[in-house]
Amino acid sequence: MFAVEMNNVSVYIGDRQILKEVTLRTPYNTVFVIMGPSGSGKTTLLRVINRLIDLVEGARVEGFVKVLNFDALHSDPYELRKYIGMVFQVPNPFPHLTIYENVAVAAKINGVAKSKRELDEVVKWALEKAMLWDEVKDRLYDHPHKLSGGQRQRLCLARALAMKPRLLLLDEPTANIDPVNARKLEEAIVSLKDEVTVVMVTHSPHQAARVADYVAVLYDGRVVEQGPAQQLFLRPSTEIAQKLLRGEI
Amino acid sequence: MFSKRDKLFFLSLLPLSISLLAVLVVSVTTIALRSLDALQHFGLALFASSIWNPEREVYGLLAPVIGSLTTSAIALLTALILSIPLAITIAEYLQGALKSVVSSIVELMGGMPTIVYAVWASQYLVPFLKQFAMEPLHSALPFIPLFSCKPVTGFSVFAAGVAIGISIVPYVTTLILEAYQSIPVMYREACYGIGATRYESIKILLSLARPAIIAALVLGFARALGETTIAVTTVGNSMYLSSCLFAPGYTVSALIASQFANAYLYQYAETVLYSSILVVVLIAIALSFYGSTTIVRWRLRVVV
Ligand SMILES: Nc1ncnc2c1ncn2[C@@H]1O[C@H](COP(=O)(O)OP(=O)(O)OP(=O)(O)O)[C@@H](O)[C@H]1O
Ligand SMILES: [Mg+2]
């Protein structure tokens, strides 16, 4: 059983092909890392999983995508997204909501908390998991524009966690974060595995090595190599993967 | 922040903006100067009674000033009820050809001369409101002062408010639509990224746009204050001040439209009319200023 299963998935935007016959499988309760150079289609791949690709004008998806128990391309996208949390490449906390409300809104929408007390607990739990609690516990009612870029990104992670998703899509969640906090966040991600399946994009081979159970390497819209992380890191079979792991592309 | 070309562009617009501002300043100054006589002669007592008797040089502007504020408040409520759903329907639920057709209709309605609304309102809307809104409200809730009188002709503060409200719907809808559609996609994605349904996303995005929506309504209120043709044909033109919305009343604009032509015959009628304009214009300018700066500040905070 797989949390995400793609068979021969191609994505076109206009008449340009962005993803090319992508086939991959993400087992439940694992961290699945997608690597690849800039522009290789990583974000697009995540957006197919939760159908955010629908928002892209002129985008067309072909192939078969199974997400959790959904036939993703033929399901109601809103129904599908109830089970999938996403953290975007550029942090996008709601500017009109406080730090507390940003996290709480996700819990409320998904019926995670019934009382104010439960809500408080979920918010605290999510902020702790996202390694942000200590920095914001005294300013929960500030607005997110007062946070640093990295703090905002962690707020978005907390927001995604507060919905108690079954699948978590992370698009370079540590891109704006210092190494110390990035390491903490990695620990958090690994510790989430009991509850969720994580599909994560990263540019850092070291980070991938620390968190990944499975790795897929994307290059120009194609999966050029995928497999269990240890195997792939020890013996990358393609030149592209070797270069990528050495940080040469 | 701005490129050289942008600066040149702004500079070239400067004379135009300055002359527009100058027109405004000149008009307001003129109105103020012309109302000086009345203000000196009658003082604030001018706004404390509701008598219009030029033959005896007795004037009171309470009824039209209150009438202007009340009709505009009802107009605001009407626009609120109609514009937000209309804007959301256009932005979220209509697609392709239908979307452009409906947006064009809204634009067209906005450009329509208000006399068209005035004729339609006095012929059809007023009787309709009398039968289906005023009479039922009066029968059901006669103990509420606002609904305490039986509508006689239907021409009333209430009817004028609703009619003016409908006439500002295109304007307010366009402002709300602009604000709503200028919300960056990343916030819509954020909604979907936490599993929000379409309805929940709309709620979140509307709350994100709330300052701009309130500002749009304030601008609508300012525009309603100045509305003349519709007011004069629907408000009933009565100087009698009533707490009941279904009684005929006056607005400042309607008073001016109906009295200005003969005002020169009397010593104070004209300057009194000017002082009524002054009140409305100052309120409208303040509200417009508040409304437009709020929208700009909101854009700067949220959009860029
Ligand atoms: N909305 C769009 N319209 C047209 N082309 C797009 C759109 N979004 C992405 N693309 C193209 O699709 C390709 C893959 O983009 P994608 O964002 O998936 O790359 P990525 O691997 O996430 O890159 P990065 O590491 O820089 O984030 C790029 O060539 C990009 O130009
Ligand atoms: Mg990307």
Side-chain angles (χ1 to χ4, degrees):
Chain A
M1 281 300 287
F2 300 99
V4 180
E5 200 177 331
M6 289 195 178
N7 265 322
N8 267 316
V9 171
S10 295
V11 172
Y12 301 83
I13 300 181
D15 37 7
R16 233 189 100 203
Q17 188 170 6
I18 309 293
L19 288 183
K20 298 166 183 168
E21 295 99 39
V22 168
T23 295
L24 54 79
R25 283 171 176 63
T26 309
Y28 275 105
N29 301 96
T30 56
V31 176
F32 190 100
V33 165
I34 299 166
M35 299 187 67
S38 184
S40 56
K42 307 181 294 295
T43 299
T44 308
L45 184 65
L46 290 186
R47 294 170 70 99
V48 170
I49 296 174
N50 67 355
R51 292 275 300 274
L52 270 191
I53 190 81
D54 293 13
L55 295 186
V56 177
E57 193 105 7
R60 191 158 51 83
V61 185
E62 282 172 9
F64 173 75
V65 183
K66 191 170 149 260
V67 177
L68 305 170
N69 285 318
F70 290 90
D71 176 355
L73 298 182
H74 305 102
S75 306
D76 174 6
Y78 295 99
E79 190 58 33
L80 172 71
R81 289 177 196 137
K82 282 185 191 162
Y83 303 91
I84 309 176
M86 183 159 185
V87 175
F88 297 82
Q89 204 165 347
V90 178
N92 55 359
F94 295 115
H96 65 304
L97 300 182
T98 62
I99 294 171
Y100 178 93
E101 289 167 339
N102 260 286
V103 183
V105 69
K108 265 194 237 162
I109 282 179
N110 294 281
V112 171
K114 281 166 202 73
S115 63
K116 170 81 172 109
R117 233 191 77 221
E118 274 179 42
L119 195 60
D120 288 348
E121 275 165 22
V122 173
V123 170
K124 181 168 184 231
W125 169 85
L127 285 168
E128 277 174 350
K129 274 282 178 199
M131 302 289 168
L132 188 59
W133 175 252
D134 289 335
E135 288 157 66
V136 301
K137 62 172 186 277
D138 300 321
R139 44 196 285 222
L140 288 173
Y141 301 103
D142 273 358
H143 283 260
H145 67 87
K146 294 193 183 165
L147 298 176
S148 74
Q151 287 173 326
R152 263 179 242 171
Q153 189 66 307
R154 279 175 282 160
L155 179 59
C156 292
L157 177 63
R159 183 175 65 183
L161 291 175
M163 70 182 276
K164 295 274 171 99
R166 300 198 39 214
L167 179 63
L168 198 53
L169 308 177
L170 307 177
D171 201 347
E172 299 188 37
T174 58
N176 298 304
I177 304 182
D178 63 273
V180 177
N181 277 308
R183 287 297 271 272
K184 286 196 206 160
L185 209 65
E186 289 167 11
E187 283 165 30
I189 291 167
V190 173
S191 78
L192 284 167
K193 269 195 291 187
D194 294 339
E195 293 147 74
V196 293
T197 308
V198 179
V199 179
M200 173 173 150
V201 169
T202 179
H203 272 294
S204 153
H206 298 290
Q207 183 169 63
R210 286 190 294 263
V211 302
D213 297 303
Y214 292 86
V215 178
V217 176
L218 263 184
Y219 187 80
D220 190 25
R222 234 178 260 285
V223 173
V224 292
E225 187 163 353
Q226 68 172 312
Q230 284 169 334
Q231 191 181 321
L232 194 140
F233 283 115
L234 282 177
R235 284 184 299 280
S237 57
T238 57
E239 199 184 323
I240 290 168
Q242 289 164 9
K243 279 189 173 170
L244 199 69
L245 294 181
R246 289 200 300 266
E248 289 170 15
I249 47 174
Chain B
M1 191 155 121
F2 295 113
S3 73
K4 205 167 170 183
R5 267 184 57 186
D6 283 344
K7 275 184 194 153
L8 274 176
F9 181 66
F10 284 132
L11 275 179
S12 69
L13 285 181
L14 211 55
L16 185 67
S17 357
I18 289 179
S19 30
L20 283 176
L21 197 64
V23 169
L24 186 68
V25 171
V26 169
S27 325
V28 175
T29 317
T30 312
I31 296 169
L33 289 176
R34 297 256 168 115
S35 43
L36 220 52
D37 273 350
L39 294 175
Q40 277 168 348
H41 189 261
F42 299 102
L44 286 179
L46 197 53
F47 299 99
S49 76
S50 308
I51 308 162
W52 191 261
N53 196 340
E55 284 84 7
R56 293 172 45 212
E57 297 289 344
V58 182
Y59 306 95
L61 294 171
L62 187 61
V65 169
I66 299 271
S68 280
L69 295 174
T70 318
T71 50
S72 300
I74 296 170
L76 174 92
L77 228 56
T78 310
L80 172 78
I81 292 168
L82 297 177
S83 293
I84 295 179
L86 184 56
I88 292 302
T89 307
I90 294 172
E92 294 276 350
Y93 293 102
L94 299 184
Q95 275 163 359
L98 193 58
K99 181 169 176 164
S100 23
V101 168
V102 175
S103 326
S104 316
I105 291 177
V106 170
E107 252 169 59
L108 194 74
M109 300 287 286
M112 198 90 81
T114 48
I115 182 72
V116 177
Y117 289 96
V119 170
W120 168 76
S122 58
Q123 297 292 308
Y124 301 103
L125 183 67
V126 173
F128 177 86
L129 288 174
K130 176 171 182 272
Q131 193 178 347
F132 295 106
M134 302 189 229
E135 278 165 1
L137 276 172
H138 170 65
S139 315
L141 307 162
F143 45 87
I144 296 180
L146 294 177
F147 308 147
S148 60
C149 59
K150 195 168 165 37
V152 181
T153 59
F155 290 87
S156 56
V157 170
F158 179 81
V162 175
I164 295 171
I166 291 173
S167 80
I168 61 169
V169 161
Y171 174 62
V172 176
T173 303
T174 306
L175 288 174
I176 293 178
L177 196 59
E178 269 172 18
Y180 191 80
Q181 287 180 330
S182 69
I183 298 174
V185 198
M186 66 181 196
Y187 297 124
R188 177 177 301 272
E189 293 179 343
C191 293
Y192 294 163
I194 54 171
T197 61
R198 179 181 284 254
Y199 173 70
E200 287 157 350
S201 310
I202 292 173
K203 265 182 25 184
I204 294 175
L205 296 178
L206 274 178
S207 72
L208 176 55
R210 186 185 295 142
I213 292 175
I214 292 174
L217 291 166
V218 168
L219 288 173
F221 185 93
R223 183 169 278 206
L225 271 181
E227 178 45 51
T228 308
T229 324
I230 303 173
V232 80
T233 50
T234 54
V235 78
N237 300 335
S238 156
M239 265 294 180
Y240 182 72
L241 183 65
S242 166
S243 67
C244 174
L245 298 178
F246 306 149
Y250 239 136
T251 73
V252 168
S253 318
L255 180 74
I256 291 159
S258 57
Q259 303 293 330
F260 202 76
N262 293 325
Y264 72 95
L265 298 171
Y266 311 100
Q267 189 185 356
Y268 284 105
E270 208 172 89
T271 162
V272 166
L273 286 178
Y274 272 110
S275 52
S276 70
I277 304 177
L278 186 66
V279 173
V280 168
V281 162
L282 288 181
I283 297 176
I285 289 178
L287 292 179
S288 301
F289 181 76
Y290 167 81
S292 7
T293 52
T294 305
I295 290 182
V296 170
R297 265 185 290 127
W298 177 81
R299 267 176 191 280
L300 287 177
R301 200 158 47 83
V302 171
V303 180
V304 282

